[in-house]
Amino acid sequence: MITIKITGNKQVSKMMLKLGPELDKLINKASKEFLESVKKGARRMAPKLTGKLSESMIVKPGRKKGSWIFSVGEGLRHALPVESGYKPHLVSSSAEAYPGITIAEVYGIPEGITLLVKGSRRKNFVRDAFQNAITRLPEILKRRTKQAIKNSKK
């Protein structure tokens, strides 16, 4: 068992007690800031054919307090193939592009036509967005930690 006792200046003691909760609060904000940065980068790099993939990118609170979730492509069948890359292939214009919307409706063409879909032009855009944002994470954490120390002195 470890016991830490702070003696001396009451102001320092008070600051140390406030630092933990303040740091938790600001690390939570840093996590959200990081994921928003990922979302911004992924939207910039995502294919723009219909814009639905970019629109599907959201940052939302997780189940545990202080956790955040970055979600992409919820309800979109093509999200994973676009991210992981796909080869040229044939598709019927009658097939669903999105729930309840056919490929013919998306492209404004008649149903029953077979299309040759080109391969992925830009794969791994979400992974690349994470890699780009991770380089800024130490700076985000440093700034938020300094802010927590400043706030705990009040």
Side-chain angles (χ1 to χ4, degrees):
M1 181 169 119
I2 298 174
T3 304
I4 298 174
K5 184 176 180 182
I6 300 171
T7 58
N9 191 336
K10 286 185 180 184
Q11 187 178 6
V12 172
S13 179
K14 186 177 171 183
M15 183 196 108
M16 294 303 283
L17 291 172
K18 288 174 65 178
L19 182 60
E22 192 65 35
L23 195 55
D24 283 347
K25 183 173 82 176
L26 288 166
I27 293 298
N28 183 21
K29 286 183 179 181
S31 299
K32 183 179 181 191
E33 183 181 340
F34 168 72
L35 289 178
E36 289 291 347
S37 173
V38 170
K39 180 176 86 170
K40 184 178 178 183
R43 279 188 170 169
R44 197 173 48 249
M45 291 185 267
K48 304 283 189 289
L49 188 60
T50 64
K52 291 208 181 273
L53 192 57
S54 288
E55 290 170 14
S56 76
M57 295 179 197
I58 58 170
V59 175
K60 59 187 177 184
R63 290 184 183 184
K64 287 185 177 180
K65 185 181 178 188
S67 68
W68 292 92
I69 296 170
F70 175 66
S71 174
V72 181
E74 196 169 314
L76 302 177
R77 293 185 341 194
H78 72 292
L80 185 58
V82 170
E83 169 64 16
S84 57
Y86 56 89
K87 295 182 178 17
H89 59 284
L90 297 174
V91 176
S92 168
S93 63
S94 303
E96 273 193 342
Y98 309 105
I101 301 171
T102 65
I103 291 174
E105 292 172 292
V106 171
Y107 292 105
I109 58 175
E111 289 200 19
I113 295 175
T114 301
L115 304 169
L116 174 63
V117 179
K118 294 180 180 178
S120 297
R121 282 181 234 135
R122 176 77 166 96
K123 65 179 188 174
N124 300 323
F125 60 93
V126 174
R127 184 196 66 189
D128 292 348
F130 267 97
Q131 287 179 335
N132 291 342
I134 202 88
T135 61
R136 291 188 300 278
L137 186 58
E139 187 274 321
I140 292 169
L141 291 172
K142 180 180 175 183
R143 184 170 32 83
R144 293 295 185 171
T145 302
K146 281 183 178 180
Q147 190 178 0
I149 292 168
K150 183 179 175 183
N151 291 353
S152 67
K153 289 179 183 178
K154 293 178 183 176

